[in-house]
Amino acid sequence: MTRSLLMRRTLVYVIMICTVLLTIFPFLLVINTSLKTMSEINIEGPLALPHIFHWDNYSRIWDVGNFVTYYKNSVIVTVVVVAFVVLLSLLGAYPFAYMKFKGRGIFFLIVLWGLTVPLDLIIIPLFNNLKSMGLLNTIWSLILPQIALNIPFSIFLLRGFMKDIPYALLESARIDGSTEAKNLYYIIMPMLYAPMVSLIVFTAIGTWNNFMLPTILIQNDQLRTLPVGLNYFQTKFTMDYPMIATAAVVSAFPAALAYIVFQRNILSGVMVGALKE
């Protein structure tokens, strides 16, 4: 190995290590703060390590912050949104990928048009429509809009993967008497494992972390989700930094865990998806 090559590799590793440290430092700081008391922060500063790990902060958070209700609402909204997005996007992507019907290109352009509409642009009409339908300040006001907002990208993503599957497989199945529903369930879905995992994780994290819709559409504290509940919790415990940090860790843990567990599937789905369409 030449000296110049060794220096370049060393420089690359130094840059990578510095980037990793800069990335994980805020998370470590929040976790460190959550295990301390307010007096320790005032005396020793926020960067000092705790002498005793105060795990009781994590049990106390459930008693004073109404986090059980916030967690339950977030889980319900996320599970329902992900289930309907996966189901509807599969049913929508399949005909766009394999079936021929009049106006298919126009309908697909309409679906793609949904990707260009920002939430900020439609939030006022959405508020008025939900109010007129009597859905404002209900759990459905969080579920239905997020399903609709996730459908265009989901159909676009799955259609790209479906078109890469040989059409001869479906033709052979049809000759053997298979229906379109069986083709989708037994042939297409098993071959879409990586993109399906990516879609599920991205939709779940996006729904879990959604802040705008619950803030505008929900006023009842018993229907608030974690991001909004965390915001009100921060307002209530403005000067109690350990409790705020503990609430942040508890709120972010499910999304971080999902990404860590399915990291390889997400990366493989994204890398393969970069070659589609």
Side-chain angles (χ1 to χ4, degrees), residues 90-134:
L90 281 171
L91 296 178
Y94 184 83
F96 283 128
Y98 298 116
M99 300 176 66
K100 296 181 179 179
F101 53 91
K102 189 175 181 180
R104 183 179 66 169
I106 297 176
F107 284 116
F108 187 64
L109 287 176
I110 294 175
V111 172
L112 294 183
W113 181 66
L115 293 173
T116 66
V117 180
L119 178 59
D120 299 16
L121 185 64
I122 64 173
I123 190 64
I124 295 178
L126 177 63
F127 181 91
N128 292 328
N129 288 336
L130 292 173
K131 183 178 180 180
S132 64
M133 291 187 292

Side-chain angles (χ1 to χ4, degrees), residues 206-225:
T207 304
W208 186 271
N209 293 329
N210 192 294
F211 180 78
M212 179 180 290
L213 283 178
T215 302
I216 296 176
L217 303 178
I218 298 296
Q219 301 298 323
N220 186 354
D221 186 63
Q222 297 302 312
L223 295 176
R224 288 185 177 128
T225 54

